[in-house]
Amino acid sequence: MFRTMMSGKIHRARVTEANLNYVGSITIDEDIMDAVGILPNEKVQIVNNNNGARFETYTIKGKRGSGVMCVNGAAARLVQEGDVIIVISYKLVPDEQAVNHNPKVAIMNEHNDIVDMIAHEPEATIMS
């Protein structure tokens, strides 16, 4: 048996652009993707802290060091530049490994810089 477990998380990133005229996806700074183990074209869930919207899309690598977090296509209607979002990737983990599974979680600041990397989320609120 397998369980769907959080694999990587970008916590409290800021939307840098919402591009309605692009085909679809979210463009993310490649450095940030590498830090949390998200690959180009990987399915991710997006949670918008400003309006509660939750949606799924796929990733496109953005310029390294740019801090880009651009929601593209129809999903651009669910965000605005400056919104705080969480990007989550998942993977299937065999039951016997799930108990010891640790995701990679990047805690972001208001400039989309990684300020901390954690593998276990405490029960308290994590703020950037």
Side-chain angles (χ1 to χ4, degrees):
M1 185 154 121
F2 289 86
R3 294 183 186 250
T4 303
M5 305 292 287
M6 180 175 65
S7 174
K9 180 177 175 185
I10 304 167
H11 186 76
R12 297 187 60 81
R14 301 313 190 274
V15 174
T16 59
E17 183 181 351
N19 185 346
L20 183 61
N21 296 312
Y22 192 82
V23 176
S25 72
I26 182 169
T27 305
I28 301 174
D29 178 324
E30 193 172 5
D31 286 339
I32 299 169
M33 290 175 65
D34 287 349
V36 296
I38 294 176
L39 298 174
N41 301 307
E42 185 170 349
K43 179 180 175 180
V44 291
Q45 179 182 41
I46 312 294
V47 180
N48 186 329
N49 284 14
N50 291 77
N51 65 20
R54 297 174 86 88
F55 56 94
E56 293 178 340
T57 190
Y58 64 93
T59 59
I60 293 178
K61 63 182 177 180
K63 182 179 176 186
R64 286 188 182 279
S66 66
V68 66
M69 199 67 57
C70 178
V71 177
N72 302 301
R77 294 195 182 276
L78 301 174
V79 301
Q80 294 182 11
E81 186 175 322
D83 280 358
V84 175
I85 61 171
I86 300 169
V87 180
I88 309 163
S89 66
Y90 299 92
K91 68 180 175 182
L92 294 175
V93 178
D95 242 7
E96 59 274 6
Q97 295 175 16
V99 173
N100 296 316
H101 169 71
N102 289 312
K104 295 179 181 178
V105 178
I107 309 300
M108 311 301 289
N109 69 11
E110 65 276 5
H111 305 291
N112 288 344
D113 299 315
I114 298 172
V115 295
D116 198 8
M117 288 292 300
I118 60 175
H120 162 33
E121 292 186 328
E123 68 276 0
T125 301
I126 300 174
M127 300 297 292
S128 60

